Amino acid sequence: MTTTADSMYIVQQVGDTLAVAIGSLDYLDVSLGRRRNVLSSVGAGTLIGGSTLALVSALSNSDSGCSSDEYCLFEFSRGDAAVLGGILGAVTGAFVGGIVGAVRHVDHWKRVPLPTLGERVSIRPQLSRRTGASVRMSF
């Protein structure tokens, strides 16, 4: 990407150039590459799994207990069922979230200031071990 007084030129592929007027841009983001988000996925899985199973456990359990003609292996109150379901759901959600976060890669972006009329910006593709872009600004 290079700039002139009123335009920014972006090279997407060799021989493929796109001209964009700088005045028409609101912001410019530059990719910092793809990364894994294991911790945030574990956190989301814990929250979603725990709250969902706690709610389902609380709604599916009645406080009436076992009648004399029923055999009950475990007898829990609605609150106890919600707590146990929440714990089980949180552990399961954390495990599934960890797997998803380890497998899934997401792009990370950084907002950079737009060049003013006196600045020159160039972005070139970087095709070494890691694919990315290099940014150079001159004033």
Side-chain angles (χ1 to χ4, degrees):
M1 173 176 68
T2 59
T3 61
T4 61
D6 60 351
S7 295
M8 179 180 294
Y9 298 95
I10 302 169
V11 178
Q12 296 171 342
Q13 295 177 358
V14 176
D16 183 18
T17 304
L18 173 68
V20 178
I22 293 174
S24 67
L25 298 176
D26 293 329
Y27 56 89
L28 178 65
D29 291 336
V30 176
S31 174
L32 299 176
R34 296 175 63 84
R35 296 184 189 151
R36 295 182 178 126
N37 282 336
V38 177
L39 289 179
S40 62
S41 295
V42 167
T46 301
L47 182 66
I48 293 169
S51 59
T52 301
L53 200 54
L55 182 65
V56 168
S57 298
L59 293 177
S60 64
N61 190 14
S62 66
D63 280 330
S64 63
C66 295
S67 64
S68 60
D69 59 341
E70 294 178 328
Y71 174 75
C72 292
L73 183 60
F74 298 107
E75 186 175 346
F76 297 114
S77 68
R78 187 172 292 220
D80 292 341
V83 169
L84 290 174
I87 292 170
L88 180 63
V91 170
T92 305
F95 179 72
V96 171
I99 291 172
V100 169
V103 172
R104 186 172 163 244
H105 291 78
V106 294
D107 288 320
H108 287 267
W109 296 88
K110 178 183 179 187
R111 182 144 307 164
V112 295
L114 286 172
T116 60
L117 294 178
E119 298 178 3
R120 295 190 69 105
V121 176
S122 64
I123 297 179
R124 294 186 316 198
Q126 188 176 5
L127 302 173
S128 61
R129 267 185 88 194
R130 301 180 83 192
T131 305
S134 62
V135 178
R136 188 177 75 196
M137 298 177 104
S138 59
F139 303 90

